[in-house]
């Protein structure tokens, strides 16, 4: 049985994750920003998605 992924939009501007090509292994996430952001090479920053996700027991989420 396939688990159901529960996703809640925290803002109307948030975009739901979606597969962007046939045969894709994972869904793409979109940033939910008030303005553009530029990251320097090697920089790390928290980027909001505007989403809350309930990941079922026994599964994991990865952001790359």
């Amino acid at each position: 049985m396939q688990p159901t992924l529960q996703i809640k939009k925290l803002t109307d501007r948030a975009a739901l994750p979606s597969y962007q090509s046939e045969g894709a292994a994972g869904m793409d996430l979109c940033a939910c920003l008030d303005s553009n952001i530029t990251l320097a090479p090697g920089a790390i920053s928290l980027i909001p998605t505007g989403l809350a996700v309930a990941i079922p027991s026994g599964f994991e989420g990865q952001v790359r």
Side-chain angles (χ1 to χ4, degrees):
M1 182 168 112
Q2 286 286 348
T4 299
L5 186 61
Q6 297 178 21
I7 302 172
K8 179 180 180 179
K9 290 175 70 173
L10 302 176
T11 175
D12 291 336
R13 296 184 346 260
L16 293 175
S18 60
Y19 293 102
Q20 296 299 307
S21 62
E22 188 174 328
M27 296 180 181
D28 287 0
L29 289 173
C30 294
C32 187
L33 301 169
D34 293 327
S35 60
N36 290 337
I37 185 171
T38 301
L39 294 177
I44 296 173
S45 181
L46 296 177
I47 306 295
T49 63
L51 302 172
V53 181
I55 299 173
S57 179
F59 289 83
E60 66 175 15
Q62 297 181 16
V63 178
R64 300 182 213 165

